[in-house]
Amino acid sequence: MKTTVSGWRTFFLVSPQGKQMVENQKQCPKTWEILNDLPGFIPENMTMFSVLSPGAEIRSHAGLTNAAIRVHLPIIVPEPTKSVIRVGAKVRTWEEGKVMTFNDAYDHQVWNFGTQTRVVLFFDVWHPDFTEEDLAILKRGWSNIKDSMGKVADDYERMSKKQAESDTQGTDDWMILKDQAI
């Protein structure tokens, strides 16, 4: 297994820097509408479909804040026991239609040991321990926090684009409903 992002593709609705990817949102308007109706959804945070090819690994990494909880909604997981995430010392697998949440600030790593592609929708919600007063204060400064993370997010986006450009498969076969609004 490689320890790079080889075999990992993304379809951003919101970039790592918080940029709204309007053209992508238009390709799945129902998904974007539902997300925006979810209590606590953070529309300024990275939101994407994560596509992991067979044999791929996303190396160990950690998010930049525990103010948000990362939500994974498995869309396509044809081999649930072979698609694995480790968060801290705990290892879990995805099941289609069953939401998984975790604190992205903990070290985590992902593998697809299977022979088929795995697709998961990623998005963030505010940490449930925040009060309304906490959120009112946090939201006022959130854009400044996001701006300070810009360099890290820019590096991440450059790496993702470079990886996409070198994608030897050159297909979007994981996007099963290409011509339909999701």
Side-chain angles (χ1 to χ4, degrees):
M1 266 224 176
K2 296 183 180 179
T3 57
T4 66
V5 291
S6 179
W8 183 33
R9 294 173 285 163
T10 55
F11 182 79
F12 289 107
L13 302 179
V14 181
S15 77
Q17 302 88 332
K19 178 182 177 190
Q20 300 293 312
M21 309 302 285
V22 176
E23 290 307 311
N24 291 353
Q25 292 169 3
K26 287 178 182 177
Q27 290 186 47
C28 42
K30 289 181 184 176
T31 299
W32 188 240
E33 179 185 344
I34 290 168
L35 286 171
N36 279 280
D37 286 342
L38 290 176
F41 173 63
I42 309 173
E44 302 85 9
N45 277 21
M46 181 176 68
T47 303
M48 68 176 175
F49 289 94
S50 170
V51 182
L52 201 59
S53 298
E57 174 183 352
I58 302 171
R59 66 179 168 237
S60 180
H61 63 286
L64 299 171
T65 178
N66 64 3
I69 298 297
R70 176 67 35 93
V71 180
H72 283 194
L73 175 60
I75 307 295
I76 301 170
V77 186
E79 301 168 287
T81 62
K82 296 181 180 180
S83 219
V84 180
I85 184 170
R86 177 195 54 78
V87 180
K90 296 184 179 191
V91 176
R92 298 288 186 266
T93 59
W94 290 272
E95 267 186 75
E96 288 180 16
K98 290 192 176 182
V99 171
M100 177 188 297
T101 61
F102 63 96
N103 186 331
D104 178 63
Y106 284 88
D107 180 67
H108 54 285
Q109 187 169 8
V110 177
W111 299 268
N112 184 351
F113 295 112
T115 59
Q116 298 179 56
T117 300
R118 180 230 63 177
V119 179
V120 172
L121 175 62
F122 279 31
F123 60 94
D124 290 340
V125 295
W126 291 111
H127 196 288
D129 289 343
F130 286 132
T131 64
E132 288 301 318
E133 294 81 19
D134 295 334
L135 286 173
I137 293 166
L138 186 59
K139 287 178 181 180
R140 284 196 302 262
W142 193 246
S143 62
N144 292 333
I145 294 169
K146 296 289 289 179
D147 289 344
S148 71
M149 293 187 276
K151 182 182 180 338
V152 173
D154 286 342
D155 289 346
Y156 173 83
E157 186 170 27
R158 273 192 294 282
M159 181 178 62
S160 295
K161 283 180 181 177
K162 185 177 179 181
Q163 182 61 42
E165 290 167 2
S166 66
D167 181 7
T168 56
Q169 294 178 6
T171 64
D172 284 331
D173 57 348
W174 61 271
M175 203 170 181
I176 292 174
L177 301 174
K178 266 190 230 191
D179 300 325
Q180 297 179 0
I182 298 173

